[in-house]
Amino acid sequence: MSKIVRASFFKRDPLTCSRELIGTELIWGDCSGIVVEVEAYAAINDEAAHTFTRPSARSFIERNNSGAAYVYFNYGMHWMLNVLVKGAENGFVLIRALEPKRGIEEMKKRRGLDDVKRLCSGPGKLTQALAITKRHHEMDLCSDPFHCFVRNTKGFAHVVADNRIGITRSAHYPWRFTLKGSEFLSRAVKL
C-alpha cells in the first residue's frame, strides 16, 4: 500500500528530506518512477543554492508552503524539478534521477529513445520524460494524487551519500543521495 508524502514531510531540513525521498515514487500524471537520486540545497550559506544569488528564490520560499514545486530553466536548456523544504532549515531537494515504472512508452516518445536506463537518468532528462515545465512551478506536490510522491510502506531504501555534481560552488558537500546499486543514476557514485 502506498501513501502520499504530505507537506509535514517537507517541514524538516533539506538533508533529511533528501535522504528519505530516495525510494519514494514520483507520480506525474500517467507516468511514474522511483526516486533514485536527489541533491539537497540549503537556503542559507550554500553558494550553489539559488537563494545565494537570486532574490526570486528567496521570495519563492516566503510565498509557498513546504512541498511546493520549484521549477526553473537551467542553462537555457533543461527544466529542473525541485521540492521546497521549510523546517528548522529551509532549502530545496533537486530530483536528479528516477527508475521509470509507469508510462514508459510515453517517456520514450518524449525523450526519443528506447533505453529505459537513460530515460530519467538526470534532472533534465526526467523533466523531459515527464513533460515538466514552467507551468508546474509552485504546484503543491503534497495533495494532488496525479502530481505527488508516494511512499511504499513495504521497505527501507539503502541510501548512499556522495558529493553533489554538475556545480562548481559548494560542490564538496556530500549532499547527493542515491539508491544503493541503482542502474538509473545520472552518474556513478564515487566510493
Side-chain angles (χ1 to χ4, degrees), residues 45-107:
N45 297 325
D46 181 355
E47 291 184 43
H50 280 186
T51 50
F52 198 79
T53 57
R54 296 184 186 180
S56 61
R58 293 189 291 274
S59 63
F60 175 89
I61 292 173
E62 292 300 316
R63 71 175 177 272
N64 284 281
N65 294 323
S66 57
Y70 178 65
V71 180
Y72 65 90
F73 207 50
N74 194 39
Y75 301 119
M77 296 173 58
H78 305 288
W79 294 104
M80 302 289 196
L81 174 64
N82 297 258
V83 184
L84 175 60
V85 175
K86 288 178 80 170
E89 297 174 36
N90 295 339
F92 298 95
V93 178
L94 170 64
I95 311 303
R96 285 199 55 88
L98 303 174
E99 177 182 336
K101 286 296 178 191
R102 282 191 304 113
I104 292 173
E105 291 308 311
E106 186 63 30
M107 290 185 205

Side-chain angles (χ1 to χ4, degrees), residues 10-158:
F10 297 103
K11 290 181 179 175
R12 300 177 297 160
D13 66 277
L15 294 175
T16 301
C17 290
S18 292
R19 270 190 223 99
E20 293 184 16
L21 268 181
I22 297 295
T24 63
E25 186 172 359
L26 174 61
I27 308 291
W28 207 269
D30 294 333
C31 298
S32 76
I34 303 300
V35 178
V36 297
E37 181 181 353
V38 299
E39 284 180 346
Y41 289 87
I44 297 174
N45 297 325
D46 181 355
E47 291 184 43
H50 280 186
T51 50
F52 198 79
T53 57
R54 296 184 186 180
S56 61
R58 293 189 291 274
S59 63
F60 175 89
I61 292 173
E62 292 300 316
R63 71 175 177 272
N64 284 281
N65 294 323
S66 57
Y70 178 65
V71 180
Y72 65 90
F73 207 50
N74 194 39
Y75 301 119
M77 296 173 58
H78 305 288
W79 294 104
M80 302 289 196
L81 174 64
N82 297 258
V83 184
L84 175 60
V85 175
K86 288 178 80 170
E89 297 174 36
N90 295 339
F92 298 95
V93 178
L94 170 64
I95 311 303
R96 285 199 55 88
L98 303 174
E99 177 182 336
K101 286 296 178 191
R102 282 191 304 113
I104 292 173
E105 291 308 311
E106 186 63 30
M107 290 185 205
K108 286 179 179 181
K109 285 182 207 166
R110 290 174 181 153
R111 293 271 295 122
L113 56 89
D114 285 325
D115 185 351
V116 176
K117 291 179 184 171
R118 291 180 45 222
L119 286 178
C120 299
S121 61
K125 293 176 183 180
L126 76 88
T127 55
Q128 184 181 17
L130 300 177
I132 295 172
T133 66
K134 182 180 180 175
R135 74 181 182 275
H136 300 107
H137 185 61
E138 299 195 54
M139 177 184 278
D140 177 4
L141 299 179
C142 299
S143 59
D144 177 359
F146 297 102
H147 299 92
C148 65
F149 295 91
V150 294
R151 193 182 328 209
N152 188 324
T153 56
K154 278 194 264 179
F156 170 79
H158 294 282

Side-chain angles (χ1 to χ4, degrees), residues 138-191:
E138 299 195 54
M139 177 184 278
D140 177 4
L141 299 179
C142 299
S143 59
D144 177 359
F146 297 102
H147 299 92
C148 65
F149 295 91
V150 294
R151 193 182 328 209
N152 188 324
T153 56
K154 278 194 264 179
F156 170 79
H158 294 282
V159 178
V160 177
D162 194 12
N163 290 353
R164 294 186 295 193
I165 57 177
I167 56 175
T168 53
R169 291 192 237 151
S170 300
H172 62 286
Y173 291 143
W175 292 357
R176 174 184 177 227
F177 301 97
T178 60
L179 181 63
K180 184 177 183 179
S182 176
E183 299 176 302
F184 297 86
L185 304 180
S186 64
R187 197 180 300 172
V189 174
K190 295 177 188 173
L191 295 175

